[in-house]
Amino acid sequence: MLSDSQLNSLKWSIRKPHVNSTCIGCSACTAISGDVFEFDDDGLSCVKPLSTYENRDVDDSIAACPVNAISWQEADETGKYLHGITEHVDV
Ligand code: SF4
């Protein structure tokens, strides 16, 4: 029988982009990957809920972000970030 930690390691996860609190709302990521990033009511970029973020120019958005606010993080099958990470926290 598998332990809880072993079961957790078998759960399906995806790579999901994450935007931290340093976003200045410059629009670079929304222009490059408009199917991935959008602005919230505070003018910060946030990540749209998608089943996959591969082949959507996310790496180009990461490279273009002037404040290095975007990174790849792990998310579960519902799109929730793993490891206690939440939207717009600094990781
Ligand atoms: S490129 Fe960076 S600073 Fe500009 S809107 Fe996107 S996350 Fe924010």
Side-chain angles (χ1 to χ4, degrees), residues 2-17:
L2 296 175
S3 68
D4 285 347
S5 62
Q6 288 171 315
L7 284 171
N8 282 337
S9 70
L10 294 174
K11 284 183 180 173
W12 186 71
S13 65
I14 62 169
R15 286 198 316 164
K16 180 179 179 180

Side-chain angles (χ1 to χ4, degrees), residues 10-85:
L10 294 174
K11 284 183 180 173
W12 186 71
S13 65
I14 62 169
R15 286 198 316 164
K16 180 179 179 180
H18 176 271
V19 179
N20 70 24
S21 69
T22 62
C23 173
I24 56 173
C26 75
S27 303
C29 61
T30 55
I32 294 168
S33 310
D35 54 343
V36 173
F37 300 99
E38 63 184 353
F39 286 113
D40 65 13
D41 292 341
D42 296 323
L44 297 177
S45 174
C46 56
V47 179
K48 296 179 180 179
L50 299 171
S51 58
T52 179
Y53 296 91
E54 305 300 330
N55 303 314
R56 295 177 186 270
D57 299 325
V58 172
D59 286 329
D60 290 342
S61 289
I62 291 172
C65 179
V67 292
N68 297 317
I70 309 169
S71 62
W72 284 111
Q73 299 296 331
E74 274 188 290
D76 69 16
E77 67 275 11
T78 69
K80 180 182 177 185
Y81 293 109
L82 301 183
H83 314 299
I85 294 169

